[in-house]
Amino acid sequence: DLFYAYKLTPRLHLGLAGRLAYDRLRLNELNVSAWQGDWRLGLRWGTQTGKIIDVTVGLTTHRFKDTSSEAPFTPISQTDGNGGLLDLRLRWPLSDQVKLVPSLKYESASYALAPDLQDLRSLELGLGLNAQPAADILVLFGLLTRYETTELTLPDQPTRNFSQWVAPALVGAG
């Protein structure tokens, strides 16, 4: 994992984050390997006492590979995937102790497990309320919902589409 943040001006902050993961395993005659990369760039504009907007863009990459451990060591199946995201959040002070936090997140990804292809899309909407009644106490409430679609393409078959609304969830913490 890698993370870096820099204060460009008193009102503008920049953040960079990256994650690489790799794993491999031997299963009978198969050598299985996987790696994932996740890269994000975030900007925050605003002041601690006023409105703050957070914008994050991200890219993800997945690689999965199965290889025979016997000659000629050729790949048996391979999965590749790429995706992206956009996350927007506003922190809007209603008083000195209470902030309203609406959010919107869009994610898109494509995965290919030869010869199949999946395209995934999701849109997440949220509305949060952060209250700080005392210096060392933070109370959070949130309402989240998500809409997801999947397009599945298989050889010699019509493309299939699936979609669903994920029921709103009420979240609380303190």
Side-chain angles (χ1 to χ4, degrees):
D1 290 346
L2 170 70
F3 179 79
Y4 178 75
Y6 185 71
K7 189 176 194 177
L8 299 169
T9 71
R11 296 177 64 93
L12 183 62
H13 301 240
L14 169 75
L16 299 170
R19 169 176 284 179
L20 283 175
Y22 177 78
D23 193 14
R24 68 180 189 189
L25 176 67
R26 184 178 172 124
L27 296 170
N28 300 325
E29 295 86 32
L30 290 180
N31 292 316
V32 180
S33 65
W35 76 267
Q36 176 184 2
D38 187 345
W39 312 99
R40 298 189 185 203
L41 169 68
L43 290 173
R44 171 177 278 185
W45 183 77
T47 63
Q48 287 301 106
T49 57
K51 292 178 188 170
I52 297 173
I53 187 164
D54 293 321
V55 178
T56 303
V57 293
L59 298 171
T60 58
T61 301
H62 305 274
R63 301 283 182 257
F64 305 104
K65 191 174 184 180
D66 298 343
T67 307
S68 171
S69 60
E70 297 178 7
F73 308 106
T74 55
I76 295 169
S77 65
Q78 187 164 341
T79 301
D80 292 331
N82 295 304
L85 70 89
L86 175 64
D87 191 350
L88 303 171
R89 295 173 191 265
L90 177 66
R91 298 170 202 272
W92 188 345
L94 301 177
S95 71
D96 289 343
Q97 292 85 20
V98 179
K99 291 182 182 174
L100 185 66
V101 186
S103 64
L104 173 97
K105 183 178 182 180
Y106 175 77
E107 289 185 83
S108 173
S110 294
Y111 297 95
L113 177 56
D116 303 347
L117 175 65
Q118 282 191 54
D119 288 318
L120 310 164
R121 310 276 182 272
S122 72
L123 179 66
E124 185 174 286
L125 302 170
L127 184 61
L129 195 63
N130 296 357
Q132 192 165 12
D136 56 349
I137 298 174
L138 180 61
V139 180
L140 310 170
F141 292 101
L143 182 63
L144 299 170
T145 188
R146 183 172 62 239
Y147 180 71
E148 300 173 339
T149 63
T150 302
E151 183 177 287
L152 179 61
T153 305
L154 303 168
D156 302 325
Q157 294 185 23
T159 299
R160 295 187 293 178
N161 293 298
F162 305 95
S163 61
Q164 68 178 0
W165 273 103
V166 176
L170 184 61
V171 179

